[in-house]
Amino acid sequence: MNFFTLFGLPEQFKLDKNHLANVYKSLAQVTHPDKFSTASQQQKLLSVQKSSQVNDGYNVLKHPLSRAEHMLELRGLSLQHETKTLQDPAFLMQQMEWREQLEDAQYAKEPMAVLEDLEQELQTQTAEQYKILEDLLVSSDEQSNQKAAAEIRKLKFMHKLLSEIARKEEEWFDDF
Amino acid sequence: MAYSEKVIDHYENPRNVGGFDKNDPTIATGMVGAPACGDVMKLQLKVGENGVIEDAKFKTYGCGSAIASSSLVTEWVKGKTLDEAVTIKNTDIAEELALPPVKIHCSILAEDAIKAAVDDYKSKNA
């Protein structure tokens, strides 16, 4: 299933989120199963199917990481169910350091400030990686696709770390 | 999902947590990560003159199965030569810890960490 086609969008990484949300709303309306309450059994089934595709598509397209993965999948490179490990010592060492900082933040004088600084640093780095990814996805030759896949894998570590920071912030917000 | 008793034991009492100086020529450092879950693992081996692993330490940021897999590996590699250590298979780790299929990648991570550490040692001492 090509979600770009489903949403009438060009197959590119750059995307206007407001436009995507508007297309989603109108597609969700016309495919909503409630609209088919008096329709035939077959049409009802079709609308349920279509409506779930629209929801899936929206979820995939709205997040940049899953959107990029979808683009590669359409080009025949699937990252789903991948069990290959990443072996980039410099990148992983940095990940380790950031995780140690996150772990030690609770002992700092101002834990929240430490978290916020770390989050800022990570977001800057993540934004840079997304820029690289966007450029790579413009070409669709094998080499660019492989490089884009490598960038996506790294971004997964960044998002994991960012979500752990967010979780800790929430935890501490309740405590203080 | 229920963890096996062995996983819980390693998770609650991880063996050999910590690290060595990665610039020390007798230390082999393996860094690996699993993109699917964002887990990161560092395995370090202290290698004696005869190529025997004298000590091992690990640091893993990840789920219980990833921590247990690396903890187990530090126990297994001690006393082995580097060549023996690389023969440890992820299936051995998964079997010992009774890992469910969705956690097999954690044992792959631990196997690859050993290989990465041995590669690091060989390139350092080439």
Side-chain angles (χ1 to χ4, degrees):
Chain A
M1 172 103 255
N2 185 327
F3 291 135
F4 290 98
T5 314
L6 182 66
F7 280 73
L9 294 167
E11 213 174 295
Q12 61 183 36
F13 184 68
K14 227 183 164 87
L15 164 148
D16 178 348
K17 279 205 166 171
N18 290 327
H19 179 61
L20 175 71
N22 287 334
V23 178
Y24 170 65
K25 268 180 218 151
S26 57
L27 278 177
Q29 255 173 20
V30 295
T31 57
H32 198 284
D34 285 357
K35 293 245 169 194
F36 297 83
S37 55
T38 59
S40 72
Q41 205 56 35
Q42 199 200 354
Q43 275 178 316
K44 272 182 192 163
L45 212 65
L46 271 173
S47 84
V48 169
Q49 215 174 44
K50 196 85 182 163
S51 147
S52 93
Q53 279 173 352
V54 166
N55 285 324
D56 288 350
Y58 182 58
N59 286 327
V60 165
L61 293 180
K62 87 177 161 189
H63 196 284
L65 197 60
S66 48
R67 181 163 72 240
E69 262 194 86
H70 184 52
M71 286 180 75
L72 287 186
E73 197 157 12
L74 293 172
R75 296 173 187 180
L77 203 165
S78 173
L79 296 184
Q80 294 234 320
H81 314 297
E82 229 185 10
T83 51
K84 228 180 113 201
T85 54
L86 184 89
Q87 306 200 2
D88 178 334
F91 175 79
L92 291 167
M93 209 62 97
Q94 173 71 76
Q95 286 291 313
M96 215 37 133
E97 263 169 43
W98 278 330
R99 281 169 165 81
E100 276 161 12
Q101 282 175 30
L102 178 59
E103 201 175 45
D104 295 341
Q106 54 179 317
Y107 308 115
K109 254 191 203 154
E110 291 181 64
M112 264 316 199
V114 173
L115 275 198
E116 278 159 20
D117 285 350
L118 186 59
E119 191 175 13
Q120 190 59 51
E121 191 185 344
L122 282 163
Q123 257 154 4
T124 309
Q125 169 78 28
T126 305
E128 275 169 28
Q129 282 176 241
Y130 269 119
K131 249 183 239 150
I132 297 172
L133 179 61
E134 183 179 338
D135 289 342
L136 286 168
L137 284 169
V138 171
S139 348
S140 58
D141 56 286
E142 182 58 21
Q143 205 193 357
S144 308
N145 288 346
Q146 289 297 346
K147 281 188 186 162
E151 218 50 57
I152 291 173
R153 290 183 195 111
K154 287 185 182 175
L155 276 161
K156 287 187 178 178
F157 288 91
M158 302 302 285
H159 281 292
K160 169 86 187 272
L161 204 40
L162 280 167
S163 72
E164 268 168 32
I165 291 175
R167 208 181 57 199
K168 204 153 253 194
E169 275 175 344
E170 216 167 280
E171 222 177 87
W172 291 355
F173 191 76
D174 291 339
D175 287 350
F176 295 137
Chain B
M1 185 195 51
Y3 281 122
S4 72
E5 267 175 45
K6 278 181 182 159
V7 170
I8 292 168
D9 179 36
H10 276 281
Y11 180 72
E12 287 179 345
N13 313 292
R15 327 310 192 238
N16 312 307
V17 174
F20 301 112
D21 175 12
K22 67 174 164 51
N23 298 316
D24 182 334
T26 67
I27 300 301
T29 303
M31 296 279 306
V32 288
C37 51
D39 289 359
V40 192
M41 187 180 286
K42 180 174 78 176
L43 175 70
Q44 292 189 300
L45 314 173
K46 187 170 173 44
V47 186
E49 270 175 27
N50 43 7
V52 172
I53 297 163
E54 293 173 347
D55 202 359
K57 293 215 180 290
F58 84 95
K59 191 145 199 192
T60 294
Y61 288 95
C63 67
S65 301
I67 290 168
S69 296
S70 32
S71 170
L72 175 70
V73 155
T74 58
E75 283 192 322
W76 276 0
V77 295
K78 272 193 222 178
K80 284 193 165 71
T81 64
L82 291 177
D83 291 337
E84 285 165 355
V86 290
T87 63
I88 294 174
K89 289 274 163 289
N90 82 283
T91 43
D92 305 332
I93 301 164
E95 194 181 336
E96 172 71 17
L97 296 172
L99 296 181
V102 290
K103 291 291 176 184
I104 294 301
H105 67 272
C106 298
S107 61
I108 296 176
L109 203 57
E111 179 192 321
D112 287 354
I114 302 174
K115 289 185 181 143
V118 172
D119 287 347
D120 174 61
Y121 185 81
K122 285 186 176 157
S123 68
K124 253 186 192 170
N125 294 281

